[in-house]
Amino acid sequence: MSIPTHLKYTKSHEWVKPEEDGTVTIGITHHAQELLGDMVFVELPQTGRKLEKKEECAVVESVKAAADVYAPIGGEAIAANPDLESEPEKINEDAYSAWLFKLKPDNASDLDDLLSAADYEKLLENEDH
Amino acid sequence: MLKTTPLNQVHRAMNAKMVDFGGWDMPLHYGSQLDEHHQVRKDAGMFDVSHMLPIDIKGNDVRTFLRQLVANNVDKLTLPGKAIYTCMLNPQGGVIDDLIIYFLSENWFRIVVNAGTAEKDTNWIQAKRDEIAPELEILPRRDLAMIAVQGPNARNKVWQVIPGSQAETENLKLFQSTTLDNYFIARTGYTGEDGFEIILPADDAATFWNALHTAGVAPAGLGARDTLRLEAGMNLYGQDMDETTSPLESGLAWTVDMKSERDFIGKQALLEKPVTHQLQGIVLLDRGVLRSHQKVVAQENDNMYEGEITSGGFSPTINQSIALARIPSQISVGNEVNVIVREKKLRAKVVKYPFVRNGKVLIEQ
């Protein structure tokens, strides 16, 4: 599956979508869901929670394992995807539309530190070898 | 270098997600572990279990040797083809392995042991043979493959694929087996569904597997095998019991023959050691997923008790997380307990297992 070029990425396999209103939407990548397998449970951050960059703030659990999700940048959690509580399998169906939560960044410039689609693709190639 | 079964290329051709399973290159799933689980509960699925090892024990009076070697009583095996599930214990009463013994004749018993313990088991059995019955032959059969076909329609699918097999096998009861040409067919399994486990020459495995696939049997990986056996309340060696745990504290008392006069390795230790724990089923009431090694905390008559989850996971059939846990004997079925998951206390209930058998949920929800 191709890696969407309009998104930013982290080494820990989150995707980050900068929205027009200055907030960001966060999910896990197609590669991450593929590694984990069928999703059965998602725990998301409370709205209003202040998050540091790289702070553990969500958990996705598949039939196989639990994986932590990290805040890609610092900010305040402003929304969690309500659909995932009853339908965590949406992450397997389309990881790039099944978002986990939204953040209001502390500093918009922090987004510049994230990986581009090309950088993320390179990261995956290196993981394979 | 990982070990491979005779079906390795077939799995890869079917786009299996392969994993290192105790040194074996094995299929975890072929796309969706959940789909494979439901397929077995509702129709028929097949598992490559050729990493497990059949060991033939041959010679004069194998039965006498097995009476000492294992904890269950092989004298229950009266009809040829009959099988028994048992533990093989060490002198301390710990479980070296759990295995199935098939009685073929007084001169030939076949046992099937776990993959991860195969070498240890073979060495142990050979050492005991040297002590007790040096004239017996111990024959590990890596020349054989093993395929489990499981599900409500599994037997029918096998009958379609092996000519003449229906007449030979439709009257087999659970834990009975028969031999038909190159196929050793047993009505056993590790899913809680009906079906067969079939042992056949390694060279024939791919052809047989592909014929089953053509007949509509879906390949299923180790992932589904684990969720199916957990729902069926079947122990997994290395998780629910090992060399340090007693079978009497692992939900396996029903497989240990303490009644007959017969002495077996580990019996004395079991008689001397008080039983303080039990294996019980747990159903999670809160949202989350139970996993092995999570702590179980319970209160009973103002006393606090602690136990541990030995196998946990998500039950696709019940759509909730379930587990097996080793907990103090004071905790009863029906009690509410807490499980510590990522430093949080989640509510759970102790239940009688199995959780699911023959497609039906057996626990109250």
Side-chain angles (χ1 to χ4, degrees):
Chain A
M1 185 162 177
S2 65
I3 297 164
T5 51
H6 65 291
L7 303 177
K8 299 274 198 177
Y9 299 88
T10 67
K11 285 181 184 169
S12 47
H13 306 289
E14 290 91 6
W15 58 259
V16 182
K17 182 185 176 200
E19 304 287 355
E20 280 176 11
D21 62 1
T23 66
V24 296
T25 303
I26 292 147
I28 64 165
T29 65
H30 177 77
H31 176 74
Q33 69 77 28
E34 202 168 55
L35 284 181
L36 283 163
D38 293 310
M39 293 294 172
V40 293
F41 174 70
V42 176
E43 194 178 306
L44 299 173
Q46 292 275 347
T47 301
R49 181 171 156 192
K50 306 271 189 217
L51 298 171
E52 304 274 331
K53 181 179 177 170
K54 292 190 179 168
E55 185 176 338
E56 293 172 12
C57 61
V59 178
V60 288
E61 293 212 34
S62 70
V63 281
K64 193 167 103 187
D68 290 313
V69 179
Y70 303 91
I73 56 172
E76 180 185 337
I78 53 169
N81 187 343
D83 297 341
L84 295 182
E85 181 166 335
S86 58
E87 295 175 287
E89 65 273 16
K90 280 186 183 282
I91 298 172
N92 299 114
E93 286 159 14
D94 185 353
Y96 295 113
S97 68
W99 58 280
L100 299 182
F101 59 99
K102 292 177 190 285
L103 272 188
K104 191 174 160 197
D106 293 335
N107 297 301
S109 60
D110 289 346
L111 285 167
D112 300 340
D113 300 338
L114 298 173
L115 304 176
S116 67
D119 295 337
Y120 184 62
E121 195 166 1
K122 264 184 222 146
L123 180 87
L124 295 188
E125 279 168 13
N126 290 333
E127 274 191 3
D128 279 348
H129 297 302
Chain B
M1 188 70 187
L2 292 178
K3 288 177 269 196
T4 56
T5 75
L7 291 167
N8 191 269
Q9 289 307 313
V10 178
H11 300 316
R12 290 179 174 280
M14 286 179 151
N15 287 319
K17 161 92 180 152
M18 304 297 284
V19 290
D20 177 351
F21 180 78
W24 289 83
D25 188 42
M26 296 300 288
L28 181 65
H29 60 72
Y30 301 79
S32 167
Q33 176 178 331
L34 288 176
D35 289 350
E36 291 162 22
H37 180 107
H38 293 306
Q39 176 79 15
V40 171
R41 285 270 178 259
K42 289 171 185 160
D43 185 5
M46 57 183 170
F47 303 85
D48 177 14
V49 286
S50 306
H51 56 319
M52 297 180 75
L53 178 67
I55 304 173
D56 286 340
I57 306 182
K58 291 187 171 178
N60 201 12
D61 202 6
V62 180
R63 191 185 291 271
T64 303
F65 174 59
L66 293 176
R67 281 194 191 110
Q68 296 180 60
L69 186 73
V70 300
N72 209 336
N73 191 348
V74 291
D75 290 334
K76 292 174 191 167
L77 301 173
T78 51
L79 286 176
K82 181 76 182 134
I84 199 171
Y85 172 73
T86 183
C87 290
M88 181 164 74
L89 304 179
N90 59 30
Q92 296 75 41
V95 184
I96 295 173
D97 200 6
D98 63 332
L99 44 104
I100 290 181
I101 301 179
Y102 298 94
F103 165 48
L104 303 180
S105 75
E106 291 302 334
N107 298 322
W108 181 13
F109 285 65
R110 170 170 286 175
I111 71 178
V112 177
V113 304
N114 282 305
T117 48
E119 201 180 326
K120 173 184 85 168
D121 291 354
T122 306
N123 292 339
W124 174 261
I125 294 166
Q126 282 171 343
K128 291 297 131 189
R129 182 269 318 266
D130 294 348
E131 281 173 33
I132 302 168
E135 70 286 358
L136 292 183
E137 278 187 288
I138 310 293
L139 305 163
R141 299 293 305 271
R142 276 289 168 222
D143 56 314
L144 298 175
M146 190 159 159
I147 296 170
V149 191
Q150 302 276 294
N153 299 325
R155 293 194 307 152
N156 246 300
K157 300 288 184 188
V158 171
W159 293 336
Q160 287 173 36
V161 169
I162 308 177
S165 63
Q166 180 165 4
E168 292 290 325
T169 64
E170 72 181 334
N171 292 324
L172 287 181
K173 299 194 175 81
L174 294 178
F175 271 78
Q176 287 185 347
S177 67
T178 192
T179 301
L180 177 66
D181 304 325
N182 277 335
Y183 299 96
F184 174 87
I185 304 173
R187 198 167 172 198
T188 50
Y190 196 46
T191 61
E193 297 300 322
D194 202 351
F196 291 132
E197 291 180 303
I198 297 164
I199 299 176
L200 71 170
D203 289 345
D204 299 343
T207 306
F208 181 54
W209 178 275
N210 290 329
L212 286 167
H213 191 233
T214 305
V217 181
L222 293 179
R225 187 169 159 81
D226 191 48
T227 49
L228 288 159
R229 73 89 197 169
L230 178 59
E231 287 186 345
M234 293 172 171
N235 287 45
L236 174 60
Y237 188 80
Q239 278 188 208
D240 303 307
M241 73 292 197
D242 60 26
E243 290 191 16
T244 68
T245 56
S246 159
L248 306 180
E249 296 187 338
S250 308
L252 296 172
W254 63 279
T255 71
V256 182
D257 163 41
M258 301 298 279
K259 287 188 193 121
S260 70
E261 291 293 303
R262 177 185 65 103
D263 195 18
F264 58 85
I265 299 164
K267 184 178 184 183
Q268 194 54 37
L270 293 184
L271 285 169
E272 286 166 8
K273 212 167 108 196
V275 173
T276 60
H277 286 69
Q278 58 182 334
L279 200 74
Q280 285 294 4
I282 303 266
V283 176
L284 187 61
L285 301 174
D286 286 333
R287 296 181 62 250
V289 185
L290 302 173
R291 306 279 182 190
S292 52
H293 304 304
Q294 287 168 351
K295 202 194 280 180
V296 180
V297 192
Q299 196 173 355
E300 182 69 22
N301 300 327
D302 293 333
N303 293 315
M304 290 301 291
Y305 295 101
E306 252 186 49
E308 190 179 274
I309 290 186
T310 53
S311 285
F314 178 77
S315 159
T317 307
I318 305 172
N319 202 26
Q320 180 58 293
S321 185
I322 60 171
L324 297 174
R326 184 171 289 108
I327 55 177
S329 307
Q330 290 87 347
I331 308 305
S332 315
V333 166
N335 282 24
E336 198 167 310
V337 296
N338 287 304
V339 182
I340 312 299
V341 179
R342 289 185 290 275
E343 287 145 39
K344 268 188 268 180
K345 274 188 179 179
L346 302 186
R347 292 182 314 124
K349 198 168 87 174
V350 181
V351 298
K352 195 168 180 299
Y353 65 93
F355 305 92
V356 180
R357 273 290 163 95
N358 296 315
K360 289 197 185 68
V361 176
L362 301 182
I363 57 159
E364 280 179 39
Q365 288 180 82

